[in-house]
């Protein structure tokens, strides 16, 4: 029987969803705060200084050109178009934290488990199937796929539904460019994604935490939006297994669980596809999952977040700070109902 995350304490300490025996093991000396003190300031700062697993990420192939996000041409200073959503001047979350504080339940239920267990995931050889309402269905080797488009660095905010956040320099390419190449038919309205199903590589697929394989989906216009990308690396290196090697989805204005990892299938479909968290708890995890500080999770507020590495919480921004680019996608929708 699936067990859903427990609600956060009423004192509004950082609300971490917990599955089965999942819990945060915070080992930073001097950071533990007793219950009485926690009532005033929160239990502990998420500094990311706990015990670390060994990270084994390989550099990207030298023939894959990776222009930095800062190289994206900017509009003249002071103009309305000067905003560059593909990067941010906010401090980047350290590589060590990005690669050791993860939700990837196929590799474990605690934050450190995915990094510890990622050695079982073999990102080569790897193929991705493209099918459904497209004119060019095909199965493509990952090495070939990564040569179809120049890789770009994009520095995006990432907001987890659990109210923590990071700033991550991803390497990848626009999903829209891939979809254009596949030539969607007029019947295509949504994009469905699937993770690898292989308990030998992803051993926690033997549990009933979710219905496997992990599934996600986007509306076609969301998938075609320039901000939406498929990432193959971060910090100038190939994706580590715990971050979704060899290919994952990044949609920066949505909660992190939309960022499906280790993708093996992308299908264009007519109807809204089933998604894993929505199947498990539809009242708590909607299909859209847009970051919205005004719409609380049923068991905790989404108004504030804690950036990994920071002590103080900060206000959560509508659409994770990308409202100027994406709010028009949802014009006329009731975002309290379409959460």
């Amino acid at each position: 029987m699936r067990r859903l995350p427990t609600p956060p304490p009423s004192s509004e300490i950082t609300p971490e969803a917990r599955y089965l025996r999942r819990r945060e093991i915070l080992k930073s000396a001097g950071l533990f705060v007793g219950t009485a003190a926690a009532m005033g300031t929160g239990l502990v700062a998420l500094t990311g200084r706990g015990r670390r697993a060994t990270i084994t990420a390989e550099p990207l192939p030298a023939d894959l050109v990776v222009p930095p996000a800062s190289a994206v041409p900017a509009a003249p200073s002071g103009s309305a178009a000067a905003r560059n959503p593909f990067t941010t001047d906010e401090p980047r979350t350290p590589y060590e934290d990005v690669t050791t504080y993860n939700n990837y339940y196929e590799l474990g239920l605690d934050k450190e488990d995915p990094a510890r267990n990622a050695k079982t995931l073999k990102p080569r050889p790897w193929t991705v199937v493209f099918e459904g309402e497209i004119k060019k269905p095909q199965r493509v080797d990952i090495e070939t796929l990564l040569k179809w488009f120049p890789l770009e660095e994009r520095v995006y905010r990432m907001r987890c539904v659990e109210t923590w956040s990071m700033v991550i320099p991803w390497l990848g390419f626009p999903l829209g460019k891939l979809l254009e190449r596949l030539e969607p038919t007029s019947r295509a309205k949504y994009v469905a994604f699937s993770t690898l199903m292989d308990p030998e590589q992803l051993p926690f697929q033997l549990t009933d935490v979710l219905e496997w394989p992990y599934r996600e989906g986007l509306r076609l216009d969301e998938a075609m939006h320039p901000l939406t990308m498929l990432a193959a690396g971060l910090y100038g290196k190939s994706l580590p297994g715990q971050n979704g090697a060899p290919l994952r989805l990044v949609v920066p204005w949505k909660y992190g669980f939309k960022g499906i990892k280790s993708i093996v299938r992308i299908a264009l479909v007519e109807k809204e596809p089933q998604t894993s968290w929505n199947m498990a708890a539809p009242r708590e995890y909607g299909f859209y999952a847009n970051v919205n500080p005004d719409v609380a999770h049923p068991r905790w507020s989404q108004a504030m977040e804690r950036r990994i590495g920071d002590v103080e919480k900060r206000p959560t921004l509508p659409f994770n700070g990308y409202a100027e680019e994406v709010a028009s996608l949802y014009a006329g929708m009731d975002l309290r109902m379409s959460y």
Side-chain angles (χ1 to χ4, degrees), residues 14 23 44 63 70 72 98 115 137 156 160 163 188 202 223 228 236 245 247 271 309 331:
T14 301
R23 62 202 180 278
V44 69
D63 60 339
S70 58
V72 176
V98 172
Y156 284 159
C160 181
T163 75
L202 299 171
T228 305
L247 193 70
K271 297 181 179 180

Side-chain angles (χ1 to χ4, degrees), residues 21-22 41 136 178 231 236 253 256 259 279 284 296-297 324-325:
R21 59 176 175 76
R22 183 177 157 213
T41 60
K136 296 181 178 179
L178 171 62
W253 70 91
M279 292 164 62
E284 300 188 6
H297 185 282
E324 186 174 331
E325 289 73 34

